């Protein structure tokens, strides 16, 4: 089941560089692991911003909450969620 | 080059059913043709709404305008556009 | 799987009373049938408005779209959707 | 008398972990007690956010204020309130 | 139990003058009757607008819905509702 | 001359409890004095929030500014103001 | 007593030119008369829009309502009102 | 050339009183000097807020930027700007 | 003197094609004439929308109003205006 | 390929003057270098604000992200991006 999630990161500029690097590294590892599992199906940067557009493929709402709520950057994010489903005009078989 | 485009369709309820069916059929054909060409890479329905989330893969801004501006439903749509690029944490090679 | 759906109805005041009554009757039958099936778990009027707060219990996003998109009043509604899941402080066992 | 209340928690990320844990534990106890009393009838997490959708069953506006204003997390919350009443299409007898 | 209700009237300018006068007369009679009953405790015009601020004193949410939903101008109104209760610094005994 | 004023208080949660108590006590004394003078005609809590709806009866805009700008909590408030006047359907003689 | 009023005119483009001219002529006469009386102290066009910024000098809120509510273009306007008073740094004696 | 500028001041409540007094005194002197030069033609307090409505009479956009950008309170302000010009219904000769 | 103007065109879909073509042709001629005169310095389509970003070079606010208010599509547009001036980091000499 | 980018700078007023000067100097050098390369085609101050309107000419979305994301002031900015393309009524050959 697919969800579009848009995340905007608002790291306080006064955060020590080391601490920021630490969280970002944890976020990267977390995101790459979920991508390899197929849970985080797409991850794109929104050009000109510290934001991304993501597509998650999860079992249910609970798994979405589990994944998003545990993002290392979650406490610093604005997140919006849209549930997706197959569009009647979609052509590809493997995209919903 | 990828763009996320969100389209919300606002067909006036008083439009004659035949006219609505005609435009929707044209839209479907148009959308499926562009999907087959690889220009309209993803097309998802936003559950609970008459809206979609789409990912376009185009040469440049001009081609995006060409494609979106010629949607049969374009005069009845609210459209928002976000330019995308590769995310530094993305894993898949073919997704930007 | 639960979703909160808020629906605001915007029937054009100039719609003939008969036509309005017809759509509302269809909506009522549709809503009551889904409530009896257990799909539309809660349905409350928002006091002072022509709007409701609803809780749906569906298989997945696709079923939510199926149900909401076929509401007889759907063409006259503003709809907002929030995916729900069990809250870590929830007490009742049968409420997610 | 029912009210829908949506709460979004905005804990400052720099709050010491211990202090945060303390407030959250107090919140949990408070919420569970009110659920057991039947005052806090439903409590759901909004998937992908630090927010909940709740349904309260209270005597009157004053009791709602009493309950919400004393939430341990109240100083860190954005709260929106909607008064609810029975929907003319509702089927269940015990849901308003 | 008190509620603050703000109503903004959006009568279509093309409505025949006679029809508009008819609805407004019905609204006036309805409003004055409820004021005399003590249900519609205050009614003020917002200066420079076709809007009012009202305070209702009702039994419960259901009665609020009953009263507001039956306003003759209801189909032409934007309405916002706020539940009120006694303020801890209020002085007058008869004002909540 | 009447004005509706809505005040939302945003006290920083990290303010020392003593300092907060001090400001709130000053606010209460100030509000009660103005109520007794008849300048602050109504004061209601908005249920479920740290906000109030107030009706002021002042000589002119300058007096409104004088009163609101000197609220002890003013530096911590969001304030919105609506000038009121008699509604053509109002019944009570002493309410404008 | 001064009020700043911003008016945005939304004449339906399909209104017959003659009817539009008629209303605009009535508006002009009305506005010029009030300016000559000193009630409508300033009237400026907002460049690039069909909108104005105005300063009214009236006895009280009721007179503001009387003047604004009777604008010939009032049914086609969005209006916002701000009560003004003397600024502590103002220099001119005759400007409040 | 006239511009309407609305300024809302957001001084952090925790700023030392002395520092605040210093900036406000500088602001006052700056504002009064520009008023005497005729550049800052009108300055009104918005009643019930820490905000003003101002009319500037400047040579061009660059001078507006020069004046507004150098306000001592500028780093603590939200500012909105509207370019003004003569209204076709304006009567006074010296007001644009 | 430069202004950025953003225009979004909202032609009613039910406008007869001929009438729409007529207005668009008039708009094009008008826009090209002003570009040739150097008044309309830049004109870009916003990709994926029926909107443009424009830079005007005018004598003053009055000329901006004159030009924008006479656009053949003006009655069908939402317009936002920003006054521009030279940026302290700008390099090109001929761009303000 | 052109993009319009609007940047609003929100430097915390409590930042030490030296640190602010340092970042601004870095920003200036960065901006001037990109202007000389032709990547940052236009840069204008929005009069009355700490904001600019910019036009970038880049290879693709990725280069836009590269440039904007590395602005020395980026952590202190609100940024909005609009993809541009040639307008069908544009006259100049070298402006898209």
């Amino acid at each position: 089941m697919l969800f579009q999630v848009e995340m905007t990161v608002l790291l306080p500029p006064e955060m020590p560089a080391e601490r920021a690097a630490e969280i970002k590294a944890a976020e990267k590892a977390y995101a790459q692991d979920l991508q390899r599992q197929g849970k985080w199906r797409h991850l794109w940067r929104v050009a000109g911003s510290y934001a991304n557009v993501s597509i998650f493929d999860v079992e249910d709402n609970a798994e979405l909450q589990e994944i998003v709520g545990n993002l290392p950057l979650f406490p610093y994010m604005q997140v919006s969620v849209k549930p997706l489903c197959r569009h009647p005009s979609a052509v590809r078989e493997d995209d919903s």
Side-chain angles (χ1 to χ4, degrees), chain A residues 40-59:
Chain A
W40 196 325
R41 202 186 271 196
H42 301 282
L43 170 57
W44 298 290
R45 166 68 75 229
V46 181
S49 70
Y50 192 177
N52 70 66
V53 168
S54 290
I55 307 291
F56 287 91
D57 181 5
V58 293
E59 283 307 300

Side-chain angles (χ1 to χ4, degrees), chain A residues 1-5 37-42 54-65 67-68 81-86 94-96:
Chain A
M1 213 171 63
L2 302 186
F3 288 87
Q4 181 192 253
V5 180
Q37 291 177 45
K39 301 280 186 199
W40 196 325
R41 202 186 271 196
H42 301 282
S54 290
I55 307 291
F56 287 91
D57 181 5
V58 293
E59 283 307 300
D60 53 18
N61 295 344
E63 194 183 18
L64 181 71
Q65 167 60 16
I67 287 174
V68 174
V81 170
K82 288 201 177 76
L84 302 179
C85 61
R86 189 166 183 81
D94 60 341
D95 199 29
S96 52

Side-chain angles (χ1 to χ4, degrees), chain A residues 64-82:
Chain A
L64 181 71
Q65 167 60 16
E66 172 75 17
I67 287 174
V68 174
N70 287 309
L71 288 161
L73 281 169
F74 183 72
Y76 304 98
M77 280 177 170
Q78 286 178 339
V79 175
S80 83
V81 170
K82 288 201 177 76

